[in-house]
Amino acid sequence: MKRFAYINRRAPYGTIYALEMLENVLVASAFEQDVSVIFIDDGVYQLTKEQNTEAIGHKNFSPTFKALTDYDVDKIFVERCSLTERGLEADDLIIDVTLLDSNELKTVIQQQDVLINA
């Protein structure tokens, strides 16, 4: 079994990257891979509660993150600094995550076999 880390750096809307990454995470976990999901930079916005996408004409896919635990994806990491820089806290997120500082995150990334970055 390989260890896959999916690194989410982009805001949830405006490109297809965030939704595609979520779909890839679900597929990898369905094939029983060891999956970690990492949110840094504007990627932390993918997890914010009460996203209203009506004005931009996109479906809000953030509730799908709640399904990660159903797929045995329990290694969900958020860079603490990325949250703080955006005025967010763990309570602002739709799911429970593990907050890591930059050095801890670096260690997690170094332990992976495959990195997928978007």
Side-chain angles (χ1 to χ4, degrees):
M1 179 182 321
K2 293 217 178 222
R3 292 177 303 242
F4 286 78
Y6 293 84
I7 304 172
N8 296 277
R9 297 175 178 272
R10 298 177 189 240
Y13 307 100
T15 68
I16 194 69
Y17 293 109
L19 180 57
E20 288 289 325
M21 186 73 85
L22 177 57
E23 289 175 354
N24 277 285
V25 167
L26 295 174
V27 168
S29 63
F31 284 98
E32 300 180 359
Q33 298 302 313
D34 183 354
V35 175
S36 296
V37 188
I38 300 167
F39 297 87
I40 60 176
D41 301 329
D42 286 344
V44 300
Y45 290 126
Q46 294 178 32
L47 298 177
T48 56
K49 293 177 182 174
E50 301 175 19
Q51 295 179 23
N52 183 348
T53 59
E54 188 175 311
I56 60 172
H58 286 277
K59 181 178 179 182
N60 178 2
F61 65 86
S62 66
T64 308
F65 286 108
K66 293 178 182 178
L68 291 176
T69 56
D70 295 337
Y71 283 80
D72 295 323
V73 177
D74 55 0
K75 293 185 247 176
I76 305 168
F77 305 105
V78 172
E79 184 187 40
R80 184 178 283 112
C81 182
S82 293
L83 274 183
T84 319
E85 287 174 351
R86 287 154 182 82
L88 298 170
E89 299 177 1
D91 288 343
D92 296 319
L93 305 180
I94 196 165
I95 58 173
D96 292 329
V97 301
T98 301
L99 296 179
L100 299 177
D101 66 30
S102 297
N103 288 330
E104 293 169 318
L105 194 55
K106 182 179 178 181
T107 300
V108 168
I109 290 171
Q110 289 173 338
Q111 296 170 345
Q112 306 306 308
D113 297 311
V114 179
L115 298 175
I116 300 167
N117 196 358

